[in-house]
């Protein structure tokens, strides 16, 4: 079981209220083997040593603004934002110390992708947890992630990409049932990587939306306002023994969990 969730500040979701944190509650409800988190809002030197006792974590955070001696660091514009950072949790029952290898991302992509290679009985698999940002840096970040993943991938090795895409795939993933230029850009990016949503075969049925803008909560939500499906899992469709290039692995948007993020966790069972 895999879960992806835009957590919107790891620090806030780890604050305990009455002995429990929002992150622990979501983990208890979903029981993921692997969990992708986005928008952790962490800087490199503020990464916790332990996230959850039952999981080993792999973190990619924004570079620090200062050196250890307090001198300012000249950062790329993409690293000046606060809403980035990705983190992957792997349950210790999977033996991550021997079955998982970190694939180190380039310095320019810190905070936007963290990749691991899982060594399974059926071969290796590359798993990439991504945060594709909105705004000015989106295209260049997406291009660099695509080129890097393509270079790290091995022949015949499946690639699973999950996270916050900040774009939709189907018309039904948007309230207005119309794809945007940004959505079309995501589809082109995925085509070049050779991946598709794991439930691409399920296009006849409208998928649940995973994102609800806090600015449009209340009556607007009941009318479908401010909602979309921008959190997803995508998997290689060719060269990995998949029948006809079709992946029959539906995703489930997990509603009803108590948390303050405007994204709902999305679950995938492979």
């Amino acid at each position: 079981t895999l879960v992806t969730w835009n957590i919107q500040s790891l620090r806030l979701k780890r604050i305990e209220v009455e002995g429990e944190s929002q992150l622990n509650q979501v983990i208890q409800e979903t029981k993921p083997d692997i969990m992708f988190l986005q928008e952790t809002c962490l800087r490199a030197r503020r990464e916790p040593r332990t996230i959850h006792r039952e999981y080993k974590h792999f973190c990619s955070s924004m570079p620090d603004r200062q050196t250890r001696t307090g001198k300012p660091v000249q950062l790329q514009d993409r690293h000046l934002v606060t809403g980035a950072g990705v983190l992957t949790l792997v349950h210790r029952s999977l033996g991550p110390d021997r079955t998982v290898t970190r694939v180190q991302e380039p310095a320019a992509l810190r905070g936007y992708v963290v990749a691991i290679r899982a060594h399974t009985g059926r071969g290796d698999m590359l798993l990439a947890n991504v945060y594709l940002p909105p705004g000015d840096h989106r295209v260049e970040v997406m291009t660099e992630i695509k080129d890097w993943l393509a270079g790290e991938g091995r022949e015949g090795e499946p690639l699973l990409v999950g996270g916050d895409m900040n774009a939709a795939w189907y018309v039904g993933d948007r309230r207005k049932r119309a794809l945007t230029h940004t959505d079309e850009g995501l589809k082109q990016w995925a085509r070049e990587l050779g991946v598709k949503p794991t439930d691409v075969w399920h296009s006849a049925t409208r998928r649940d939306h995973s994102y609800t803008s806090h600015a449009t909560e209340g009556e607007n939500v009941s009318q479908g306002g401010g909602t979309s499906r921008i959190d997803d899992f995508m998997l290689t469709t060719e060269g990995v023994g998949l029948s006809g290039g079709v992946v029959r692995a539906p995703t489930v948007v997990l509603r009803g969990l108590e948390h303050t993020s405007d994204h709902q966790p999305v679950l995938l069972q492979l």
Side-chain angles (χ1 to χ4, degrees):
T1 301
L2 296 94
V3 170
T4 183
W5 183 31
N6 182 320
I7 196 171
Q8 290 187 328
S9 178
L10 179 67
R11 182 184 64 83
L12 294 179
K13 302 306 183 293
R14 295 183 73 217
I15 295 175
E16 293 190 0
V17 178
E18 296 182 354
E20 195 63 271
S21 70
Q22 292 183 35
L23 175 60
N24 284 347
Q25 289 177 341
V26 171
I27 287 175
Q28 288 178 8
E29 291 291 335
T30 60
K31 296 178 173 59
D33 296 308
I34 299 175
M35 190 173 200
F36 292 171
L37 301 176
Q38 302 86 42
E39 285 201 76
T40 60
C41 302
L42 294 177
R43 292 278 166 185
R45 290 207 304 271
R46 298 185 181 181
E47 296 174 358
R49 292 186 177 182
T50 302
I51 305 299
H52 190 287
R53 66 181 182 276
E54 295 181 7
Y55 291 83
K56 181 173 182 176
H57 71 273
F58 302 86
C59 196
S60 177
S61 301
M62 305 298 270
D64 290 298
R65 297 174 183 268
Q66 296 180 332
T67 66
R68 294 184 182 276
T69 59
K71 294 181 180 180
V73 176
Q74 187 68 34
L75 298 178
Q76 292 179 271
D77 288 346
R78 70 175 67 170
H79 287 147
L80 296 176
V81 302
T82 57
V86 286
L87 185 148
T88 296
L89 296 167
V90 181
H91 200 277
R92 295 198 178 277
S93 65
L94 299 179
D97 290 335
R98 57 180 175 79
T99 63
V100 174
T101 302
R102 169 76 177 264
V103 182
Q104 188 61 53
E105 72 280 358
L109 291 176
R110 289 175 185 165
Y112 293 100
V113 58
V114 59
I116 58 175
R117 176 166 280 115
H119 312 292
T120 74
R122 293 184 293 178
D124 291 351
M125 185 176 199
L126 188 62
L127 299 94
N129 172 8
V130 302
Y131 174 68
L132 305 184
D136 297 339
H137 311 298
R138 178 177 178 84
V139 173
E140 63 183 28
V141 169
M142 288 176 66
T143 299
E144 291 174 29
I145 290 176
K146 171 179 64 70
D147 291 345
W148 176 66
L149 288 176
E152 290 293 339
R154 299 170 179 171
E155 185 176 358
E157 180 182 58
L159 169 63
L160 176 71
V161 179
D164 181 0
M165 310 299 173
N166 272 301
W169 190 272
Y170 304 114
V171 293
D173 291 346
R174 293 285 186 188
R175 178 181 63 86
K176 295 183 179 180
R177 299 190 63 81
L179 295 181
T180 67
H181 178 73
T182 299
D183 300 335
E184 295 296 346
L186 174 67
K187 298 179 84 166
Q188 179 62 33
W189 179 82
R191 280 193 291 270
E192 292 176 5
L193 262 180
V195 297
K196 290 182 179 179
T198 60
D199 51 7
V200 68
W201 60 278
H202 205 52
S203 58
T205 304
R206 178 184 178 276
R207 302 195 299 173
D208 285 343
H209 290 183
S210 60
Y211 170 75
T212 302
S213 171
H214 286 327
T216 57
E217 288 181 338
E219 295 182 359
N220 289 336
V221 171
S222 67
Q223 300 168 10
T227 70
S228 57
R229 173 62 183 273
I230 59 176
D231 306 276
D232 224 335
F233 284 103
M234 299 183 183
L235 182 63
T236 308
T237 57
E238 295 181 1
V240 292
L242 301 173
S243 177
V246 177
V247 184
R248 296 187 177 275
T251 54
V252 178
V253 175
L254 301 167
R255 298 189 174 278
L257 304 180
E258 294 189 9
H259 58 79
T260 54
S261 173
D262 52 14
H263 292 252
Q264 302 297 334
V266 177
L267 182 144
L268 168 69
Q269 288 188 324
L270 284 178

